[in-house]
Amino acid sequence: MVLMVKPDEFYKDLLDNLYDGVYFVDPDRVIKYWNKSAELLTGYSSSEIVGKPCWNNILMHVDLQGKNLCRGLCPLAKAMKEDRLLEQEVYLRHKEGHRVPVMVRVSPIKDGEGLIIGAVEIFSSNARRIVLSQRIEQLQRLALLDPLTEIGNRRYADLTLHARLDEFYRYDWKFGVLFMDIDYFKKINDLYGPEMGDKLLRMIARTLQNGVRSSDVVCRWGGEEFVALIANIDEVALGSLAEKLRRLVEQSKPFFEDEFIDVTISIGASISRMNDTPEVLIKRADDLMYRAKLSGRNSVIIE
């Protein structure tokens, strides 16, 4: 006996078994379908997403500069308006709050008469996640991993900083240091509890790690402080990267008891200089971070 499968069920099973996230929207950008991979990549189940408009900012898509897309002409809206295929690198907000880099590909959907009746978006995590997983395994073996955030610890930052300075003196390969501190962390920790504080540290660590290149290193320096060591970069590009990370964190809001918690960081940024020691370079970036705090927080100061 041959078991017949309905066409709709067949295509649903097919889409649910793809590695890529897939979802459909109607002309008003209300989500009508959300596959299993979309659930895995975002942390949101189909029941939490289907029936809601994507423009309500639930995924809070931002571009590579950290600028919000959902409130404006997002790739879905643009594809339907311009009747064309679109591809763009964006950051989506995971349900746990951290930012995830994805490549989105969007296509309008038409009926039999050629009228646009919605759009489909296919999104996939960037391949650099594999590099990050390998780095985590390596750090675990060498006891260089911060157990809470699963990024490098202070010892790993020190080792990398010495290596970068050695390369700078040998080959004149400039690198940048970003010293970052979470604004009002103690206040948030006291108000929402230590579990939220830990969740916040993990969220920001992942957002920062996902916001840099695989050749760069992000570490937890201690407490609510993070350090990023950015290879082969000049002052202008370092400033742009710091501003991008600031925006990504600002857009990465953890969820607590039916509300989003606003979180920001202050960043001090500096490029390596001749006669720098690890202590001098870190102190310079740290001092710049405190100047960012004094200037009102949620800002970048580079020098």
Side-chain angles (χ1 to χ4, degrees):
M1 181 177 66
V2 178
L3 296 177
M4 300 298 295
V5 180
K6 294 180 180 179
D8 288 348
E9 293 177 353
F10 171 78
Y11 289 117
K12 183 179 182 299
D13 288 342
L14 182 65
L15 291 172
D16 278 341
N17 283 284
L18 293 177
Y19 286 110
D20 293 336
V22 179
Y23 67 100
F24 304 149
V25 298
D26 66 12
D28 296 319
R29 289 161 61 196
V30 174
I31 298 172
K32 297 298 185 180
Y33 172 75
W34 188 258
N35 79 341
K36 293 294 184 183
S37 290
E39 292 183 341
L40 293 173
L41 288 168
T42 67
Y44 286 101
S45 66
S46 177
S47 62
E48 294 174 293
I49 294 289
V50 171
K52 295 181 180 179
C54 69
W55 47 258
N56 76 354
N57 221 18
I58 189 168
L59 293 179
M60 299 182 188
H61 285 97
V62 297
D63 63 17
L64 295 184
Q65 285 70 48
K67 296 178 182 178
N68 189 285
L69 293 172
C70 294
R71 298 297 190 189
L73 195 61
C74 75
L76 278 170
K78 193 172 183 180
M80 287 189 284
K81 181 180 179 180
E82 299 179 1
D83 188 13
R84 65 187 182 95
L85 303 175
L86 286 175
E87 186 173 285
Q88 186 174 353
E89 290 183 81
V90 305
Y91 289 90
L92 62 78
R93 178 192 174 278
H94 193 275
K95 185 177 181 180
E96 293 182 358
H98 60 278
R99 285 285 162 183
V100 179
V102 294
M103 175 65 74
V104 301
R105 294 170 294 280
V106 185
S107 174
I109 300 174
K110 301 179 182 180
D111 63 13
E113 298 179 354
L115 296 176
I116 294 176
I117 58 173
V120 56
E121 178 173 309
I122 302 172
F123 61 97
S124 55
S125 177
N126 286 351
R128 61 188 302 277
R129 174 175 295 182
I130 298 172
V131 177
L132 297 180
S133 297
Q134 292 171 343
R135 177 176 290 172
I136 286 174
E137 291 177 5
Q138 180 185 30
L139 294 181
Q140 286 173 329
R141 290 196 302 269
L142 299 175
L144 299 174
L145 188 77
D146 177 64
L148 176 64
T149 61
E150 294 189 338
I151 62 174
N153 58 20
R154 183 165 180 165
R155 180 168 175 245
Y156 183 57
D158 281 332
L159 291 172
T160 305
L161 182 56
H162 279 81
R164 290 283 188 269
L165 276 172
D166 183 61
E167 291 171 347
F168 175 53
Y169 289 133
R170 285 173 178 265
Y171 311 113
D172 197 27
W173 293 347
K174 290 185 178 181
F175 68 97
V177 173
L178 301 178
F179 201 101
M180 299 164 282
D181 185 87
I182 305 173
D183 297 326
Y184 300 113
F185 180 75
K186 185 178 186 305
K187 180 179 178 181
I188 296 173
N189 205 47
D190 291 343
L191 186 60
Y192 297 101
E195 288 187 8
M196 175 52 68
D198 288 350
K199 180 179 179 180
L200 184 61
L201 289 167
R202 286 191 293 267
M203 181 201 78
I204 290 179
R206 291 170 184 170
T207 295
L208 294 174
Q209 184 70 82
N210 287 337
V212 300
R213 302 164 300 180
S214 58
S215 58
D216 302 324
V217 172
V218 176
C219 298
R220 185 181 178 194
W221 190 252
E224 64 270 29
E225 296 174 334
F226 297 88
V227 166
L229 303 173
I230 312 300
N232 300 323
I233 198 165
D234 60 24
E235 187 168 315
V236 174
L238 184 65
S240 297
L241 175 61
E243 182 62 22
K244 167 189 166 182
L245 294 178
R246 183 197 67 77
R247 286 175 178 164
L248 287 176
V249 171
E250 184 181 34
Q251 297 279 359
S252 302
K253 304 173 188 290
F255 197 68
F256 183 82
E257 295 184 355
D258 299 325
E259 67 170 321
F260 288 111
I261 301 172
D262 290 325
V263 179
T264 61
I265 58 173
S266 297
I267 305 177
S270 188
I271 293 286
S272 56
R273 303 173 185 172
M274 293 305 296
N275 301 319
D276 268 343
T277 65
E279 295 76 19
V280 167
L281 184 48
I282 286 291
K283 185 178 188 305
R284 185 165 67 245
D286 189 12
D287 289 344
L288 292 170
M289 182 274 294
Y290 274 104
R291 283 173 53 186
K293 292 274 190 187
L294 293 174
S295 70
R297 295 179 169 83
N298 190 26
S299 61
V300 175
I301 290 186
I302 182 168
E303 193 175 282

